[in-house]
Amino acid sequence: MTELDVRALQQRLAAFAAARDWEQYHTPKNLATALSVEASELVEIFQWLTPEQSARVMERPETAHRVADEVADVLAYLLQFCEVLGIDVLSALAEKIDRNEARFPVPEPPDASEPRDRHSSE
């Protein structure tokens, strides 16, 4: 998805809300709450699945549809939240990845000439 696509989606969501006079309810607090609720609905799908079952969740059409719908709901509320607060979501993500790369550098491979500590693989 490009930045223009994100902006176009935000505009569609804003137009949808405006046509229904829902803007009054789209405060940062309400949108953050709705985002949390939708994320919880996504978690609910996976709640009692084993790791193996969760890895195959998209193989069943009825479950795949539910997962896709909840992902769309989460993204919709996130985009609306960012729009209301003036957050450029793609820039915020890129900056966060940059910070994480600096914070968690790729570990150096162990030097084969040095003896391994018996706890080094734990």
Side-chain angles (χ1 to χ4, degrees):
M1 178 174 292
T2 68
E3 187 171 348
L4 293 177
D5 293 332
V6 169
R7 185 71 191 124
L9 290 172
Q10 286 175 312
Q11 289 171 344
R12 282 184 68 190
L13 289 165
F16 182 89
R20 290 151 182 82
D21 197 29
W22 291 351
E23 298 145 310
Q24 61 187 317
Y25 306 111
H26 286 193
T27 64
K29 179 197 81 68
N30 287 349
L31 291 169
T33 301
L35 176 59
S36 175
V37 169
E38 294 301 338
S40 294
E41 290 178 7
L42 179 60
V43 170
E44 183 180 30
I45 297 167
F46 294 88
Q47 184 174 9
W48 304 112
L49 300 181
T50 65
E52 295 77 17
Q53 290 170 323
S54 69
R56 295 188 313 270
V57 75
M58 299 306 284
E59 294 172 6
R60 295 179 50 219
E62 64 278 4
T63 309
H65 179 72
R66 286 181 59 213
V67 170
D69 273 356
E70 296 307 334
V71 166
D73 288 341
V74 168
L75 182 58
Y77 280 115
L78 179 62
L79 291 177
Q80 290 174 88
F81 179 81
C82 290
E83 174 73 13
V84 166
L85 290 179
I87 297 169
D88 179 332
V89 67
L90 296 180
S91 292
L93 177 58
E95 291 168 10
K96 180 64 175 184
I97 292 169
D98 290 343
R99 286 192 304 277
N100 283 344
E101 287 173 341
R103 186 173 171 201
F104 304 104
V106 176
E108 302 264 338
D111 186 350
S113 65
E114 292 182 20
R116 284 193 71 156
D117 181 344
R118 67 181 188 98
H119 298 288
S120 64
S121 64
E122 292 179 4

